[in-house]
Structures are given as C-alpha cells and as structure tokens.
Amino acid sequence: MSQAKAYAARSATTPLAPFSFERRALRDNDVNIDILYCGVCHSDIHVAESDWGSSEYPVVPGHEIVGRVTEVGSKVSKYKVGDIVGVGCMVDSCQHCAHCAESLEQYCDNGFVGTYGFHDLIDGSLTYGGYSDHIVVREEFVLSIPEALDVSKAAPLLCAGITTYSPLRHNGVKAGDKVGVLGMGGLGHMGVKFAKALGAEVTIFTRSESKIAEAKKQGADHVIVSTDEAQMQAAAMSFDYLLDTIPVQHDLNPYLNCLKVDGTHILVGLVEPMEPAPHSANLVMKRRVLTGSLIGGIAETQEVLDFCAEHNIECDAEMINIQDINEAYQRMKKGDVKYRFIIDMKSLKA
Ligand code: NDP
Ligand code: ZN
C-alpha cells in the first residue's frame, strides 16, 4: 500500500478539498504512475455533485491522466520505469466477454471498472481518480503517450478526445460530410478538430456569440448561434451528422430538424430526463437516426493518441493548480473555459 495525496468531494454539496488515502500495493500486472497532469471533464462535475444520482463518497475525480511510470509489477511487459503514459476513463473489465475481446471494454458485458467511483474487481475497494499524486492501474488499461505529443496537453485526449473521435469513426464520417458539433466545450472543440481531420465541413452550434470568432480559429467552417431561432430554421435539413456534447437537459427537436433524410444525431451527454421527448415525426418522417456513444475502447484510445500525434492535433487548454478546482467547476458550468482545464499536478505536491 502507498499513501496518496488527493482532492476529493465528501458529499454532493461540499467543495473539493484535500484528502489522503491508501493506493493498493502493486500486483504483478500493475503499473504505478506518478501523475503529472489531469484534465477536468464535465463528468467529474456530474459525479462529484451526484447528478447521476449514484455517487459514492469520497469522490476523487479525474479520468484524463498523464504521468510517468515509477514502478512495474513482475509480469508487466509493455511499460518500464520512466515511460510517459496515460490512463483514461476505465481501469479494468472482465477481459473475456465478446465486447472485451473486440477491445470494446466500455461495453463489457460484466461492467467495466471506471477510473473513479467504481469498485476494484479483486479487492472491492472504491476507485479513486486522477486528482491525486499517483495511481496504480493494470497494464492493459495504460496507454502509451506518443513522443510527438506535448505531454502537458495530452491528458484530455484520454476522454474528450476518444469520446468525440470514436462516434465520428464508428458512424463513418468522411470527406465532404456536413457535421454539426453541439456545445463548444472540452468535448466539442475536440470534435471539431477530428471532424475537420476526417475531411468534413464542420459547423459549431453554440449559445455563446462570443465564441463565434474562436470557433473559426478552431477550424470550424460555420457557426450557428443555437439560441437564435432564425439561424436554427435556416439550417433545417442540412446536416449528415450532429455530435451533441451539451451537458444538461435540452430539447433535441430543433436540432433533429437540422438533419437531412437519414441524418444521425449522436448523443454523448448523459442528461436524464430527456425532456421534452424527441418528436417521433422528427425521426420517422425523415428516417433520421438518434444514437449515443460511450468513450471508446482501449485499442481505439491508443489509436486516437497516435492519430493526434500524426495529424498535429492537440487540445486547447487552460492550465490550473489543484487549489483552483472549485472555481474551475463554476466556470465550466457557465461554459467559460477555452476549452479544457488541465490540472498541473505539481501543485498538489507543493
Ligand atoms: P464542457 O462543460 O466542457 O462543455 C459543454 C458545452 O456545452 C459548453 O461549453 C457549452 O457550449 C454547452 N452548454 C453548456 N451548458 C449548456 C446549456 N445549458 N444549454 C446548451 N448548451 C450548453 O463539458 P464536456 O465537454 O467536458 O462534457 C460534455 C458532456 O459530455 C457532459 O455531460 C459529460 O458528462 C459528457 N461526457 C460523455 C462521455 C461519454 O462517453 N459519452 C465522456 C465524457 C463526457 P457553448 O457555450 O458553446 O454553448
Ligand atoms: Zn470525461
């Protein structure tokens, strides 16, 4: 066992504060990682504040982790001390069901183990995430960070990156397709970069007029202010795909109306209840598809890291200290982040 320093939420209504706990002793197939950077995902807020109604406290959030290997178990073959590695949203799964066999561990028939707020499959202990000084993870769930990536900006690829890359690839987005990205935050801005890299014509849907100029700098071809009804009406029947990253309950109908016949609306936010409900006519009359997507498997997460290295794609980040985390959450709730907060974990050790 090793003592870990961290920041945790003790309840849905208390701000994050310093917390100490024991990380498990290294198993044969485990890697011990000294955490250098951790991205801040809106899911961290959902879980810290129990938006999904099931959080077990204390919650140590953080599933966009980049660090350096400090120790490896006797059976570890992929990593050695000193390697720069990543950990995303999952730290274990059964490894033998049909989905694990296809490296779709996020859809493991026996349930994957999330990086925080889940239970270890062997000793049952609660998992604690990356707002901490180190983490112990079995090697199958550790990613290799390509040398070409800026280590200080790679962390968000492990959730925001894979969560937007995977559905674009799975749904077959290709050159010339018209893709809309809903919400210009951590996920949304990565979605724009990937859709552009795949050759699509990309439109950002944002509530914030102030993000229009920024959106073009991100590479978006067009911007629609989603609160402007006239702009939404003018976009009717024009998109092949919409990638919806909005983190709160919202009316899908005006967006569905923007899809062509056979167009696909991809949800990644978990926002219950879905009210008002999507109108059946908005789907039936144009054979539109409403679908969802959960992160991506381990093999595809490595693929997205390598894809970003090859295509020079990186996230736009604001670096913060761990002591600023509660303020960062407040700013994210207002959509005031360009476009991902990354915690410099040196601040925890200071
Ligand atoms: P961010 O907070 O970084 O960005 C969300 C964006 O949505 C904001 O920047 C804002 O963009 C827009 N938005 C915010 N509030 C509203 C509102 N009230 N109405 C309309 N638009 C709004 O969040 P993330 O990108 O980190 O996460 C987005 C969602 O995806 C979260 O719900 C998260 O839990 C989920 N998620 C899902 C995953 C999956 O596997 N399916 C994995 C990771 C995250 P703008 O100002 O441009 O309007
Ligand atoms: Zn996330």
Side-chain angles (χ1 to χ4, degrees), residues 41-44 63-64 89 159-160 187 340:
C41 179
H42 210 107
S43 304
D44 298 350
H63 58 204
E64 294 182 340
C89 303
C159 174
L187 268 59
R340 200 54 145 187

Side-chain angles (χ1 to χ4, degrees), residues 5-32:
K5 281 172 85 172
Y7 261 57
R10 269 35 176 255
S11 81
T13 52
T14 43
L16 271 68
F19 171 64
S20 299
F21 66 94
E22 298 276 345
R23 287 278 184 205
R24 68 165 184 260
L26 225 62
R27 298 174 188 143
D28 287 351
N29 58 344
D30 275 342
V31 176
N32 190 357

Side-chain angles (χ1 to χ4, degrees), residues 7 27 30 42 53 64 69-70 72 84 114 156 167 171 191 223 232 251 254 267 280 285 303 312 334 343-344:
Y7 261 57
R27 298 174 188 143
D30 275 342
H42 210 107
E64 294 182 340
V69 174
T70 54
V72 294
I84 298 291
N171 286 283
V223 181
M232 292 294 284
D251 185 358
L267 287 173
S280 53
M285 301 303 283
E303 181 181 313
N312 276 322
K334 288 189 254 162
I343 310 166
D344 184 342

